[in-house]
Amino acid sequence: MNIITLTAALLPAILLLIYVWKRDPQPEPTSWLTKAVLSGIAICIPATIIELGIEVMLFGMGGQPSSLADTTAMAFFVAALPEESLKLLVLWLILRKNPFFDEHFDGIVYAVCIGLGFAAFENVMYLFNEEEWLYTAITRALLAVPSHYIFAILMGYYYSIYHFVNHSPKIAVCILLVPVAAHGFYDALALSGLVDHHIGSVCFFVLIFLCIKMHKVARNKILALVEKDHGDNASVS
């Protein structure tokens, strides 16, 4: 992998990290943000091991999905649930004794750092020794990396709501359930082409529509927590 390919793999995650960092009314210490990013990178290996184990249980050694039901199962149980569960575990470990976790938007900031650390490493692995790396880099920069960013925003939003506002079981469940659902639907659409190219072509356009809608939802979540923090700071002053 040359420097151009490596840059193409890392740049989407870096740009999204900068965007979220700039939105933070009171930026978090660099050391804690770095810890979150590195933690996201660190869970890539255990996530891969868990995913391979679940895949073997579902399809057998060397087995492949042969129906839309199989690709949907792979999307939710092989990819979405293990990955988002590990991200949540790391988010909890980082925030449980973090003295700087004192604003609503902080949950999104740390979750995004973890999610984009994961996405950046995953992107490097996808482009590593890829002959048609440019096509892969472009599609993943437009879809895959921003999707991990969106899943992280959803997780961070509900984590902060549960921590600061509402300790109800419903909100607690949403911390994991909402990003898993979004991730699962995304992957189910993306994987459909493995078993039917015609359905896969239709699902690709549905996938683009889903990503646009998820971006709007994620933006609204960001604005909601930033506005809440501004309101709290104004009332204190």
PDB file of all heavy atoms in Angstrom, residues 125-151:
ATOM      1  N   MET A 125      -7.799  -1.894   5.629  1.00  0.00           N
ATOM      2  CA  MET A 125      -7.805  -3.323   5.326  1.00  0.00           C
ATOM      3  C   MET A 125      -8.500  -3.618   4.003  1.00  0.00           C
ATOM      4  O   MET A 125      -8.069  -4.491   3.246  1.00  0.00           O
ATOM      5  CB  MET A 125      -8.496  -4.099   6.459  1.00  0.00           C
ATOM      6  CG  MET A 125      -7.748  -4.095   7.776  1.00  0.00           C
ATOM      7  SD  MET A 125      -6.107  -4.881   7.665  1.00  0.00           S
ATOM      8  CE  MET A 125      -5.035  -3.438   7.484  1.00  0.00           C
ATOM      9  N   TYR A 126      -9.570  -2.890   3.696  1.00  0.00           N
ATOM     10  CA  TYR A 126     -10.275  -3.093   2.431  1.00  0.00           C
ATOM     11  C   TYR A 126      -9.425  -2.674   1.238  1.00  0.00           C
ATOM     12  O   TYR A 126      -9.482  -3.297   0.169  1.00  0.00           O
ATOM     13  CB  TYR A 126     -11.597  -2.307   2.420  1.00  0.00           C
ATOM     14  CG  TYR A 126     -12.781  -3.098   2.899  1.00  0.00           C
ATOM     15  CD1 TYR A 126     -13.215  -3.002   4.227  1.00  0.00           C
ATOM     16  CD2 TYR A 126     -13.481  -3.942   2.050  1.00  0.00           C
ATOM     17  CE1 TYR A 126     -14.309  -3.728   4.684  1.00  0.00           C
ATOM     18  CE2 TYR A 126     -14.571  -4.677   2.498  1.00  0.00           C
ATOM     19  CZ  TYR A 126     -14.978  -4.561   3.813  1.00  0.00           C
ATOM     20  OH  TYR A 126     -16.058  -5.298   4.258  1.00  0.00           O
ATOM     21  N   LEU A 127      -8.647  -1.599   1.398  1.00  0.00           N
ATOM     22  CA  LEU A 127      -7.848  -1.098   0.277  1.00  0.00           C
ATOM     23  C   LEU A 127      -6.485  -1.754   0.174  1.00  0.00           C
ATOM     24  O   LEU A 127      -5.799  -1.604  -0.836  1.00  0.00           O
ATOM     25  CB  LEU A 127      -7.666   0.419   0.406  1.00  0.00           C
ATOM     26  CG  LEU A 127      -8.944   1.268   0.371  1.00  0.00           C
ATOM     27  CD1 LEU A 127      -8.605   2.746   0.331  1.00  0.00           C
ATOM     28  CD2 LEU A 127      -9.815   0.907  -0.811  1.00  0.00           C
ATOM     29  N   PHE A 128      -6.098  -2.494   1.211  1.00  0.00           N
ATOM     30  CA  PHE A 128      -4.785  -3.142   1.220  1.00  0.00           C
ATOM     31  C   PHE A 128      -4.697  -4.167   0.089  1.00  0.00           C
ATOM     32  O   PHE A 128      -5.492  -5.101   0.004  1.00  0.00           O
ATOM     33  CB  PHE A 128      -4.550  -3.825   2.566  1.00  0.00           C
ATOM     34  CG  PHE A 128      -3.171  -4.406   2.722  1.00  0.00           C
ATOM     35  CD1 PHE A 128      -2.084  -3.571   2.900  1.00  0.00           C
ATOM     36  CD2 PHE A 128      -2.960  -5.780   2.696  1.00  0.00           C
ATOM     37  CE1 PHE A 128      -0.811  -4.089   3.061  1.00  0.00           C
ATOM     38  CE2 PHE A 128      -1.697  -6.302   2.844  1.00  0.00           C
ATOM     39  CZ  PHE A 128      -0.610  -5.455   3.027  1.00  0.00           C
ATOM     40  N   ASN A 129      -3.740  -3.986  -0.791  1.00  0.00           N
ATOM     41  CA  ASN A 129      -3.514  -4.888  -1.942  1.00  0.00           C
ATOM     42  C   ASN A 129      -4.724  -4.994  -2.866  1.00  0.00           C
ATOM     43  O   ASN A 129      -4.871  -5.974  -3.597  1.00  0.00           O
ATOM     44  CB  ASN A 129      -3.120  -6.296  -1.469  1.00  0.00           C
ATOM     45  CG  ASN A 129      -1.703  -6.345  -0.926  1.00  0.00           C
ATOM     46  OD1 ASN A 129      -0.869  -5.520  -1.298  1.00  0.00           O
ATOM     47  ND2 ASN A 129      -1.445  -7.279  -0.040  1.00  0.00           N
ATOM     48  N   GLU A 130      -5.617  -3.983  -2.833  1.00  0.00           N
ATOM     49  CA  GLU A 130      -6.771  -3.971  -3.732  1.00  0.00           C
ATOM     50  C   GLU A 130      -6.352  -3.380  -5.072  1.00  0.00           C
ATOM     51  O   GLU A 130      -5.879  -2.240  -5.148  1.00  0.00           O
ATOM     52  CB  GLU A 130      -7.899  -3.127  -3.118  1.00  0.00           C
ATOM     53  CG  GLU A 130      -9.101  -2.918  -4.005  1.00  0.00           C
ATOM     54  CD  GLU A 130      -9.864  -4.198  -4.283  1.00  0.00           C
ATOM     55  OE1 GLU A 130     -10.245  -4.890  -3.310  1.00  0.00           O
ATOM     56  OE2 GLU A 130     -10.064  -4.501  -5.475  1.00  0.00           O
ATOM     57  N   GLU A 131      -6.504  -4.158  -6.154  1.00  0.00           N
ATOM     58  CA  GLU A 131      -6.083  -3.687  -7.468  1.00  0.00           C
ATOM     59  C   GLU A 131      -6.932  -2.502  -7.924  1.00  0.00           C
ATOM     60  O   GLU A 131      -6.404  -1.516  -8.446  1.00  0.00           O
ATOM     61  CB  GLU A 131      -6.170  -4.826  -8.489  1.00  0.00           C
ATOM     62  CG  GLU A 131      -5.157  -5.941  -8.246  1.00  0.00           C
ATOM     63  CD  GLU A 131      -5.215  -7.009  -9.316  1.00  0.00           C
ATOM     64  OE1 GLU A 131      -5.993  -6.840 -10.283  1.00  0.00           O
ATOM     65  OE2 GLU A 131      -4.474  -7.998  -9.202  1.00  0.00           O
ATOM     66  N   GLU A 132      -8.247  -2.590  -7.755  1.00  0.00           N
ATOM     67  CA  GLU A 132      -9.133  -1.489  -8.135  1.00  0.00           C
ATOM     68  C   GLU A 132      -9.431  -0.635  -6.901  1.00  0.00           C
ATOM     69  O   GLU A 132     -10.587  -0.390  -6.542  1.00  0.00           O
ATOM     70  CB  GLU A 132     -10.417  -2.035  -8.749  1.00  0.00           C
ATOM     71  CG  GLU A 132     -10.181  -2.840 -10.028  1.00  0.00           C
ATOM     72  CD  GLU A 132     -11.479  -3.336 -10.639  1.00  0.00           C
ATOM     73  OE1 GLU A 132     -12.554  -2.978 -10.116  1.00  0.00           O
ATOM     74  OE2 GLU A 132     -11.414  -4.086 -11.618  1.00  0.00           O
ATOM     75  N   TRP A 133      -8.374  -0.172  -6.256  1.00  0.00           N
ATOM     76  CA  TRP A 133      -8.515   0.497  -4.976  1.00  0.00           C
ATOM     77  C   TRP A 133      -9.245   1.836  -5.098  1.00  0.00           C
ATOM     78  O   TRP A 133      -9.937   2.250  -4.169  1.00  0.00           O
ATOM     79  CB  TRP A 133      -7.142   0.713  -4.336  1.00  0.00           C
ATOM     80  CG  TRP A 133      -6.255   1.682  -5.063  1.00  0.00           C
ATOM     81  CD1 TRP A 133      -5.328   1.392  -6.017  1.00  0.00           C
ATOM     82  CD2 TRP A 133      -6.234   3.111  -4.895  1.00  0.00           C
ATOM     83  NE1 TRP A 133      -4.730   2.541  -6.455  1.00  0.00           N
ATOM     84  CE2 TRP A 133      -5.250   3.604  -5.781  1.00  0.00           C
ATOM     85  CE3 TRP A 133      -6.931   3.996  -4.081  1.00  0.00           C
ATOM     86  CZ2 TRP A 133      -4.959   4.961  -5.882  1.00  0.00           C
ATOM     87  CZ3 TRP A 133      -6.647   5.356  -4.179  1.00  0.00           C
ATOM     88  CH2 TRP A 133      -5.670   5.822  -5.075  1.00  0.00           C
ATOM     89  N   LEU A 134      -9.115   2.509  -6.254  1.00  0.00           N
ATOM     90  CA  LEU A 134      -9.728   3.824  -6.393  1.00  0.00           C
ATOM     91  C   LEU A 134     -11.249   3.733  -6.331  1.00  0.00           C
ATOM     92  O   LEU A 134     -11.900   4.527  -5.629  1.00  0.00           O
ATOM     93  CB  LEU A 134      -9.299   4.474  -7.705  1.00  0.00           C
ATOM     94  CG  LEU A 134      -9.815   5.903  -7.947  1.00  0.00           C
ATOM     95  CD1 LEU A 134      -9.367   6.828  -6.819  1.00  0.00           C
ATOM     96  CD2 LEU A 134      -9.333   6.422  -9.301  1.00  0.00           C
ATOM     97  N   TYR A 135     -11.831   2.769  -7.036  1.00  0.00           N
ATOM     98  CA  TYR A 135     -13.278   2.587  -7.011  1.00  0.00           C
ATOM     99  C   TYR A 135     -13.743   2.240  -5.595  1.00  0.00           C
ATOM    100  O   TYR A 135     -14.718   2.794  -5.081  1.00  0.00           O
ATOM    101  CB  TYR A 135     -13.688   1.480  -7.978  1.00  0.00           C
ATOM    102  CG  TYR A 135     -15.140   1.081  -7.867  1.00  0.00           C
ATOM    103  CD1 TYR A 135     -16.140   1.871  -8.428  1.00  0.00           C
ATOM    104  CD2 TYR A 135     -15.518  -0.079  -7.178  1.00  0.00           C
ATOM    105  CE1 TYR A 135     -17.484   1.522  -8.317  1.00  0.00           C
ATOM    106  CE2 TYR A 135     -16.855  -0.435  -7.060  1.00  0.00           C
ATOM    107  CZ  TYR A 135     -17.824   0.369  -7.628  1.00  0.00           C
ATOM    108  OH  TYR A 135     -19.147   0.012  -7.502  1.00  0.00           O
ATOM    109  N   THR A 136     -13.015   1.317  -4.959  1.00  0.00           N
ATOM    110  CA  THR A 136     -13.358   0.919  -3.596  1.00  0.00           C
ATOM    111  C   THR A 136     -13.237   2.094  -2.632  1.00  0.00           C
ATOM    112  O   THR A 136     -14.089   2.300  -1.765  1.00  0.00           O
ATOM    113  CB  THR A 136     -12.446  -0.234  -3.126  1.00  0.00           C
ATOM    114  OG1 THR A 136     -12.556  -1.330  -4.035  1.00  0.00           O
ATOM    115  CG2 THR A 136     -12.817  -0.704  -1.733  1.00  0.00           C
ATOM    116  N   ALA A 137     -12.175   2.888  -2.809  1.00  0.00           N
ATOM    117  CA  ALA A 137     -11.949   4.038  -1.934  1.00  0.00           C
ATOM    118  C   ALA A 137     -13.080   5.058  -2.067  1.00  0.00           C
ATOM    119  O   ALA A 137     -13.560   5.602  -1.065  1.00  0.00           O
ATOM    120  CB  ALA A 137     -10.612   4.692  -2.255  1.00  0.00           C
ATOM    121  N   ILE A 138     -13.519   5.310  -3.293  1.00  0.00           N
ATOM    122  CA  ILE A 138     -14.576   6.298  -3.517  1.00  0.00           C
ATOM    123  C   ILE A 138     -15.902   5.829  -2.932  1.00  0.00           C
ATOM    124  O   ILE A 138     -16.593   6.580  -2.222  1.00  0.00           O
ATOM    125  CB  ILE A 138     -14.732   6.591  -5.023  1.00  0.00           C
ATOM    126  CG1 ILE A 138     -13.495   7.323  -5.542  1.00  0.00           C
ATOM    127  CG2 ILE A 138     -15.986   7.433  -5.282  1.00  0.00           C
ATOM    128  CD1 ILE A 138     -13.471   7.503  -7.041  1.00  0.00           C
ATOM    129  N   THR A 139     -16.276   4.577  -3.216  1.00  0.00           N
ATOM    130  CA  THR A 139     -17.566   4.077  -2.718  1.00  0.00           C
ATOM    131  C   THR A 139     -17.583   4.001  -1.199  1.00  0.00           C
ATOM    132  O   THR A 139     -18.587   4.346  -0.556  1.00  0.00           O
ATOM    133  CB  THR A 139     -17.882   2.702  -3.307  1.00  0.00           C
ATOM    134  OG1 THR A 139     -16.786   1.795  -3.054  1.00  0.00           O
ATOM    135  CG2 THR A 139     -18.103   2.793  -4.803  1.00  0.00           C
ATOM    136  N   ARG A 140     -16.470   3.598  -0.603  1.00  0.00           N
ATOM    137  CA  ARG A 140     -16.425   3.517   0.851  1.00  0.00           C
ATOM    138  C   ARG A 140     -16.360   4.904   1.485  1.00  0.00           C
ATOM    139  O   ARG A 140     -16.907   5.127   2.570  1.00  0.00           O
ATOM    140  CB  ARG A 140     -15.235   2.664   1.303  1.00  0.00           C
ATOM    141  CG  ARG A 140     -15.421   1.187   1.002  1.00  0.00           C
ATOM    142  CD  ARG A 140     -14.327   0.351   1.668  1.00  0.00           C
ATOM    143  NE  ARG A 140     -14.324   0.490   3.107  1.00  0.00           N
ATOM    144  CZ  ARG A 140     -15.167  -0.134   3.926  1.00  0.00           C
ATOM    145  NH1 ARG A 140     -16.083  -0.949   3.445  1.00  0.00           N
ATOM    146  NH2 ARG A 140     -15.085   0.054   5.226  1.00  0.00           N
ATOM    147  N   ALA A 141     -15.732   5.859   0.819  1.00  0.00           N
ATOM    148  CA  ALA A 141     -15.683   7.231   1.341  1.00  0.00           C
ATOM    149  C   ALA A 141     -17.066   7.868   1.323  1.00  0.00           C
ATOM    150  O   ALA A 141     -17.393   8.688   2.193  1.00  0.00           O
ATOM    151  CB  ALA A 141     -14.711   8.067   0.515  1.00  0.00           C
ATOM    152  N   LEU A 142     -17.886   7.491   0.350  1.00  0.00           N
ATOM    153  CA  LEU A 142     -19.221   8.071   0.223  1.00  0.00           C
ATOM    154  C   LEU A 142     -20.279   7.332   1.026  1.00  0.00           C
ATOM    155  O   LEU A 142     -21.307   7.917   1.386  1.00  0.00           O
ATOM    156  CB  LEU A 142     -19.633   8.107  -1.252  1.00  0.00           C
ATOM    157  CG  LEU A 142     -18.804   9.024  -2.161  1.00  0.00           C
ATOM    158  CD1 LEU A 142     -19.267   8.886  -3.609  1.00  0.00           C
ATOM    159  CD2 LEU A 142     -18.897  10.477  -1.713  1.00  0.00           C
ATOM    160  N   LEU A 143     -20.041   6.041   1.301  1.00  0.00           N
ATOM    161  CA  LEU A 143     -21.077   5.231   1.942  1.00  0.00           C
ATOM    162  C   LEU A 143     -20.627   4.598   3.260  1.00  0.00           C
ATOM    163  O   LEU A 143     -21.201   4.870   4.313  1.00  0.00           O
ATOM    164  CB  LEU A 143     -21.547   4.136   0.971  1.00  0.00           C
ATOM    165  CG  LEU A 143     -22.260   4.624  -0.295  1.00  0.00           C
ATOM    166  CD1 LEU A 143     -22.526   3.455  -1.231  1.00  0.00           C
ATOM    167  CD2 LEU A 143     -23.564   5.319   0.049  1.00  0.00           C
ATOM    168  N   ALA A 144     -19.599   3.756   3.214  1.00  0.00           N
ATOM    169  CA  ALA A 144     -19.249   2.939   4.383  1.00  0.00           C
ATOM    170  C   ALA A 144     -18.741   3.769   5.565  1.00  0.00           C
ATOM    171  O   ALA A 144     -19.225   3.620   6.698  1.00  0.00           O
ATOM    172  CB  ALA A 144     -18.208   1.893   3.990  1.00  0.00           C
ATOM    173  N   VAL A 145     -17.760   4.636   5.313  1.00  0.00           N
ATOM    174  CA  VAL A 145     -17.197   5.423   6.413  1.00  0.00           C
ATOM    175  C   VAL A 145     -18.228   6.386   6.999  1.00  0.00           C
ATOM    176  O   VAL A 145     -18.400   6.448   8.228  1.00  0.00           O
ATOM    177  CB  VAL A 145     -15.923   6.169   5.965  1.00  0.00           C
ATOM    178  CG1 VAL A 145     -15.406   7.066   7.093  1.00  0.00           C
ATOM    179  CG2 VAL A 145     -14.840   5.176   5.548  1.00  0.00           C
ATOM    180  N   PRO A 146     -18.965   7.144   6.168  1.00  0.00           N
ATOM    181  CA  PRO A 146     -20.019   7.996   6.742  1.00  0.00           C
ATOM    182  C   PRO A 146     -21.088   7.217   7.499  1.00  0.00           C
ATOM    183  O   PRO A 146     -21.678   7.744   8.449  1.00  0.00           O
ATOM    184  CB  PRO A 146     -20.615   8.687   5.502  1.00  0.00           C
ATOM    185  CG  PRO A 146     -19.518   8.679   4.496  1.00  0.00           C
ATOM    186  CD  PRO A 146     -18.797   7.394   4.723  1.00  0.00           C
ATOM    187  N   SER A 147     -21.318   5.973   7.091  1.00  0.00           N
ATOM    188  CA  SER A 147     -22.316   5.168   7.805  1.00  0.00           C
ATOM    189  C   SER A 147     -21.840   4.826   9.210  1.00  0.00           C
ATOM    190  O   SER A 147     -22.614   4.914  10.172  1.00  0.00           O
ATOM    191  CB  SER A 147     -22.625   3.888   7.020  1.00  0.00           C
ATOM    192  OG  SER A 147     -23.255   4.207   5.801  1.00  0.00           O
ATOM    193  N   HIS A 148     -20.581   4.447   9.364  1.00  0.00           N
ATOM    194  CA  HIS A 148     -20.039   4.207  10.704  1.00  0.00           C
ATOM    195  C   HIS A 148     -20.131   5.489  11.546  1.00  0.00           C
ATOM    196  O   HIS A 148     -20.391   5.427  12.757  1.00  0.00           O
ATOM    197  CB  HIS A 148     -18.587   3.740  10.615  1.00  0.00           C
ATOM    198  CG  HIS A 148     -18.446   2.277  10.351  1.00  0.00           C
ATOM    199  ND1 HIS A 148     -18.713   1.323  11.300  1.00  0.00           N
ATOM    200  CD2 HIS A 148     -18.064   1.603   9.236  1.00  0.00           C
ATOM    201  CE1 HIS A 148     -18.501   0.113  10.797  1.00  0.00           C
ATOM    202  NE2 HIS A 148     -18.114   0.258   9.549  1.00  0.00           N
ATOM    203  N   TYR A 149     -19.925   6.605  10.918  1.00  0.00           N
ATOM    204  CA  TYR A 149     -20.050   7.903  11.587  1.00  0.00           C
ATOM    205  C   TYR A 149     -21.486   8.109  12.082  1.00  0.00           C
ATOM    206  O   TYR A 149     -21.715   8.535  13.217  1.00  0.00           O
ATOM    207  CB  TYR A 149     -19.629   8.977  10.586  1.00  0.00           C
ATOM    208  CG  TYR A 149     -20.101  10.378  10.828  1.00  0.00           C
ATOM    209  CD1 TYR A 149     -19.468  11.198  11.755  1.00  0.00           C
ATOM    210  CD2 TYR A 149     -21.156  10.908  10.088  1.00  0.00           C
ATOM    211  CE1 TYR A 149     -19.886  12.512  11.949  1.00  0.00           C
ATOM    212  CE2 TYR A 149     -21.572  12.208  10.267  1.00  0.00           C
ATOM    213  CZ  TYR A 149     -20.948  13.015  11.200  1.00  0.00           C
ATOM    214  OH  TYR A 149     -21.360  14.297  11.391  1.00  0.00           O
ATOM    215  N   ILE A 150     -22.454   7.766  11.236  1.00  0.00           N
ATOM    216  CA  ILE A 150     -23.866   7.918  11.612  1.00  0.00           C
ATOM    217  C   ILE A 150     -24.229   6.967  12.743  1.00  0.00           C
ATOM    218  O   ILE A 150     -24.906   7.358  13.708  1.00  0.00           O
ATOM    219  CB  ILE A 150     -24.771   7.678  10.392  1.00  0.00           C
ATOM    220  CG1 ILE A 150     -24.580   8.799   9.360  1.00  0.00           C
ATOM    221  CG2 ILE A 150     -26.236   7.597  10.811  1.00  0.00           C
ATOM    222  CD1 ILE A 150     -25.199   8.502   8.020  1.00  0.00           C
ATOM    223  N   PHE A 151     -23.794   5.700  12.642  1.00  0.00           N
ATOM    224  CA  PHE A 151     -24.091   4.734  13.712  1.00  0.00           C
ATOM    225  C   PHE A 151     -23.548   5.253  15.041  1.00  0.00           C
ATOM    226  O   PHE A 151     -24.194   5.113  16.082  1.00  0.00           O
ATOM    227  CB  PHE A 151     -23.468   3.365  13.405  1.00  0.00           C
ATOM    228  CG  PHE A 151     -23.782   2.821  12.037  1.00  0.00           C
ATOM    229  CD1 PHE A 151     -22.882   1.984  11.394  1.00  0.00           C
ATOM    230  CD2 PHE A 151     -24.977   3.126  11.397  1.00  0.00           C
ATOM    231  CE1 PHE A 151     -23.164   1.472  10.140  1.00  0.00           C
ATOM    232  CE2 PHE A 151     -25.272   2.619  10.134  1.00  0.00           C
ATOM    233  CZ  PHE A 151     -24.359   1.788   9.503  1.00  0.00           C
TER     234      PHE A 151
END
